[in-house]
Amino acid sequence: MDNRTWALYRVSTAGQVNSDEDIPMQRNACERYATQQGWTISKEVFERGVSGWKKSADQRDELVLLKEAALKNQFDNLIVYHSDRLGRKSEESPFVLKFLHDNHVAVHSASEGHLRSENHVDALLNYIRYWNNEGESLKTSMRVTEEMQRLRQQDFYVGGQTPFGFSVVETNQKHWKKDKKLKILLPHILQGKVVSMIYELSAYKNYGSARTAAVLNEMEITNQFGRNFTDKFIGRILDNPLYSGRRPYTKILPDGTRVPALQSYNPNHDIIGKELKSLSDKRRNSRKGASLGVDQADTGEANPSPMSSKVLLSGIIFCGYCGSKLTTDYSYKDYKRKTDRNTTRMICYRYICKRGKEKKVPHEKKQVGCKKLDEQVEEYVLNYMSNLDLSLMIKDIKQTRSKTLTNLNQQIKTVEKQLSKKEVELKRLKEEVTKVLLGESVFTPELLQEAITGTTASIEHLKNKKLTLAEKYEADHSKIDEIRSIQDVVNGWPERYKKAPLDIKKIMLSDVVERVVYKKDDIDIRINLLDSFI
């Protein structure tokens, strides 16, 4: 009978598969136990990189093999290093043990001895044993999740594809796993310049992803893989908030739901600055809105200023009679130059309301010359921006932000108190485990497990809530710094505008002017600085 003893070795993660310690350590312990019992291990079964908590028994191929072999009476004893090698699921693993026992296979743990399943007491002890194993897995999962979350919050690199524009650099700090160093992301000098170019083309030139990719490919600039840029690749760069200092990550809620979230601002990740990122996002959102083909007369929304038009107000000028957006038209006019009397043809642009011919809404004037109207609006806006004083507005905004931060801080303190209370409650529940084993507790094993599971979930929920509030606090606090630069931006606006070419002037004007509403002898210029700069 000494040749009918099998051994099962299991490691949970891919990182343990090639380890020099995990499986050899289990094998040595099982062999010592077999020798003590006078047995010889005739067959070894390996489960490599298989979680006994995440995977059910039916999904584990080697465990299925053991059960089939037990049905065929191929072995009498099964040795494992620890009971948790069979599994870590309280509602399932005890039944695997019972199945093997019912099929005349004795299961032994090298560290715990004979795992019996002969009577009601054994069943209760096995349930508590695997309930404890499951709890250890939960705690391990929580520890790993919390550690990864802590590393992310401290801006360490925890894996994944390195984003274009960054390099992964080892630090001198030791990783929580042995023989490893913690890593961080730092801007790549050359790639960082390309990222800045991509955002500048989007923000200042209003270039789309395809056009930007074509420019970079024409300059023979390649991505980190040595390949040409594509519009999708450029789009991912423009979507990524990492380049303005806030790294995206996936937050796991207590119910297991994964939601996107942003880390706190890290100046070491800020390649382009918040202002450039915000302006690029605004340009892209405007282009997306225009591409939907929505009738602006119905929505009342202005289009982004078109780059191809030769006039200043295209996309932001509306009819004062019916509210529809004015379109641009042109005609040719021939005239003789006074100098040489030669005939010259010039283009005359005009803004036209296409609904002007409809009788439902009378139009006193259906079209207007572009040159004169552009000059009037330009003069008004330059004068407005030159004399604008934002000191009172900035003061009010700071006061509002301060109140918001105070409220968030109070919410964080409330959550911390609730969290502390729940942690004490969990500690007391865990103290009941020993009493359950001795039959001295008012709890049944099922009720105690339910209580511990519920309290653990509440703690996780409160931790996520605290993290969310802390991130919001950090985001709102960072906006105060942005507000301080608004006056400087406004002060330099007129000079930058005068030096800019037409396409940049159109973008700058659309930043300041929400819309221009035209009627005969009446021009309504609606300024919208608040949304533009805050």
Side-chain angles (χ1 to χ4, degrees):
M1 297 291 288
D2 63 343
N3 64 342
R4 289 172 56 84
T5 299
W6 289 13
L8 170 66
Y9 314 124
R10 180 178 65 80
V11 290
S12 301
T13 64
Q16 294 173 289
V17 170
N18 298 319
S19 172
D20 292 332
E21 294 184 7
D22 287 286
I23 285 183
M25 179 267 292
Q26 293 182 41
R27 173 186 279 141
N28 291 338
C30 291
E31 287 179 347
R32 281 197 303 271
Y33 185 86
T35 301
Q36 292 170 2
Q37 303 300 320
W39 303 332
T40 301
I41 296 175
S42 60
K43 183 170 182 176
E44 296 178 321
V45 179
F46 298 89
E47 284 191 299
R48 295 179 170 88
V50 177
S51 171
W53 179 49
K54 294 180 180 178
K55 282 197 171 186
S56 67
D58 293 338
Q59 295 174 316
R60 295 167 56 189
D61 294 340
E62 302 306 322
L63 200 56
V64 171
L65 181 149
L66 285 174
K67 292 167 76 173
E68 290 175 350
L71 287 171
K72 296 175 183 178
N73 192 28
Q74 294 180 355
F75 64 108
D76 300 310
N77 302 301
L78 177 67
I79 305 177
V80 293
Y81 170 69
H82 190 273
S83 58
D84 61 8
R85 299 302 87 189
L86 276 179
R88 288 179 176 268
K89 300 172 76 71
S90 61
E91 76 280 5
E92 183 180 73
S93 300
F95 295 102
V96 174
L97 185 60
K98 188 175 187 306
F99 175 89
L100 293 171
H101 177 270
D102 291 346
N103 285 277
H104 312 294
V105 175
V107 181
H108 295 260
S109 164
S111 55
E112 299 162 288
H114 190 184
L115 304 178
R116 301 180 184 277
S117 184
E118 298 173 355
N119 51 48
H120 183 68
V121 174
D122 291 339
L124 177 60
L125 291 174
N126 287 331
Y127 179 86
I128 294 172
R129 176 183 289 116
Y130 283 103
W131 169 77
N132 184 62
N133 289 341
E134 184 177 52
E136 289 299 319
S137 290
L138 285 167
K139 286 190 288 185
T140 300
S141 176
M142 288 174 63
R143 284 197 301 270
V144 172
T145 300
E146 288 174 0
E147 179 64 15
M148 297 288 278
Q149 189 166 295
R150 183 186 68 81
L151 291 175
R152 288 193 187 98
Q153 288 176 334
Q154 295 180 2
D155 292 313
F156 288 108
Y157 178 71
V158 293
Q161 182 175 299
T162 307
F164 180 79
F166 288 91
S167 299
V168 178
V169 180
E170 271 195 356
T171 67
N172 292 325
Q173 291 182 252
K174 192 174 181 181
H175 196 276
W176 57 292
K177 288 184 176 180
K178 60 185 178 180
D179 300 329
K180 286 189 176 183
K181 295 290 182 67
L182 291 175
K183 300 177 182 179
I184 58 173
L185 286 177
L186 288 178
H188 187 287
I189 296 175
L190 296 179
Q191 292 180 11
K193 291 181 179 179
V194 177
V195 170
S196 296
M197 182 191 302
I198 290 170
Y199 273 91
E200 286 168 1
L201 289 174
S202 172
Y204 301 137
K205 294 291 187 179
N206 210 16
Y207 279 22
S209 298
R211 191 175 180 184
T212 300
V215 170
L216 295 176
N217 294 335
E218 188 175 340
M219 296 172 67
E220 297 184 353
I221 299 174
T222 59
N223 60 26
Q224 70 265 49
F225 309 111
R227 296 194 286 267
N228 285 342
F229 286 92
T230 63
D231 57 340
K232 290 183 179 179
F233 193 95
I234 297 295
R236 286 194 293 270
I237 291 176
L238 293 172
D239 283 333
N240 197 341
L242 171 63
Y243 299 107
S244 60
R246 300 201 68 191
R247 190 177 177 193
Y249 72 100
T250 301
K251 180 191 293 186
I252 303 176
L253 300 180
D255 61 358
T257 305
R258 294 175 176 265
V259 296
L262 294 176
Q263 293 179 10
S264 301
Y265 174 73
N266 181 358
N268 293 327
H269 292 163
D270 194 346
I271 293 178
I272 60 170
K274 299 175 185 177
E275 186 178 326
L276 183 57
K277 173 64 176 170
S278 177
L279 187 56
S280 172
D281 289 345
K282 181 178 179 181
R283 299 281 178 260
R284 298 181 73 222
N285 290 335
S286 295
R287 288 197 297 271
K288 288 175 183 177
S291 68
L292 295 177
V294 179
D295 189 345
Q296 269 69 30
D298 295 330
T299 65
E301 295 292 330
N303 271 337
S305 185
M307 298 300 297
S308 58
S309 175
K310 303 299 182 182
V311 297
L312 192 61
L313 305 179
S314 180
I316 61 172
I317 184 166
F318 291 79
C319 176
Y321 299 104
C322 67
S324 61
K325 181 172 68 70
L326 300 186
T327 59
T328 306
D329 196 2
Y330 65 91
S331 60
Y332 294 103
K333 181 179 180 181
D334 294 332
Y335 71 97
K336 290 185 179 181
R337 291 189 299 208
K338 293 182 180 180
T339 54
D340 53 14
R341 306 303 295 174
N342 287 332
T343 300
T344 301
R345 172 165 288 188
M346 63 179 292
I347 301 176
C348 299
Y349 292 97
R350 55 184 175 269
Y351 299 115
I352 296 177
C353 179
K354 290 187 175 181
R355 293 185 177 179
K357 297 180 181 180
E358 297 179 3
K359 296 181 180 180
K360 293 180 181 179
V361 181
H363 285 62
E364 191 174 353
K365 195 167 184 179
K366 304 170 186 177
Q367 63 183 41
V368 60
C370 294
K371 183 178 180 181
K372 184 177 179 180
L373 185 58
D374 286 355
E375 289 174 352
Q376 288 176 314
V377 173
E378 191 173 48
E379 182 182 359
Y380 175 87
V381 174
L382 281 169
N383 184 61
Y384 178 90
M385 295 297 289
S386 298
N387 296 290
L388 183 62
D389 184 2
L390 295 177
S391 57
L392 289 177
M393 185 181 74
I394 292 174
K395 183 179 179 181
D396 290 341
I397 293 171
K398 286 183 178 179
Q399 288 177 349
T400 302
R401 294 286 183 200
S402 296
K403 290 179 181 178
T404 302
L405 290 175
T406 301
N407 182 44
L408 284 171
N409 193 39
Q410 290 174 347
Q411 291 183 54
I412 290 172
K413 288 181 178 179
T414 300
V415 171
E416 286 176 341
K417 289 180 181 178
Q418 294 172 345
L419 183 58
S420 178
K421 185 177 178 181
K422 285 291 181 183
E423 286 174 341
V424 171
E425 183 180 325
L426 180 62
K427 183 180 179 181
R428 289 175 179 170
L429 286 171
K430 287 181 177 180
E431 291 172 352
E432 286 288 321
V433 174
T434 304
K435 294 180 181 179
V436 168
L437 290 171
L438 298 174
E440 298 174 356
S441 175
V442 295
F443 289 95
T444 62
E446 295 84 359
L447 187 60
L448 183 58
Q449 182 187 11
E450 184 179 344
I452 290 178
T453 302
T455 305
T456 303
S458 297
I459 290 173
E460 189 67 18
H461 171 72
L462 288 170
K463 285 181 178 179
N464 283 316
K465 186 176 180 181
K466 179 184 174 182
L467 180 62
T468 301
L469 289 170
E471 288 175 348
K472 194 172 188 317
Y473 182 93
E474 180 67 26
D476 282 6
H477 190 270
S478 66
K479 287 181 181 178
I480 293 178
D481 296 329
E482 296 177 29
I483 293 167
R484 295 191 181 103
S485 65
I486 294 175
Q487 186 70 62
D488 295 334
V489 173
V490 172
N491 289 341
W493 194 92
E495 289 71 24
R496 293 198 307 275
Y497 180 87
K498 291 175 184 177
K499 295 177 183 178
L502 178 62
D503 56 350
I504 303 301
K505 282 184 176 181
K506 291 164 69 174
I507 294 174
M508 293 179 69
L509 198 66
S510 65
D511 281 339
V512 175
V513 179
E514 179 185 358
R515 61 169 56 198
V516 177
V517 181
Y518 174 78
K519 281 185 178 182
K520 184 181 179 181
D521 302 325
D522 182 22
I523 305 173
D524 181 13
I525 302 171
R526 301 179 186 177
I527 304 294
N528 191 19
L529 273 176
L530 194 62
D531 287 346
S532 300
F533 293 108
I534 299 176

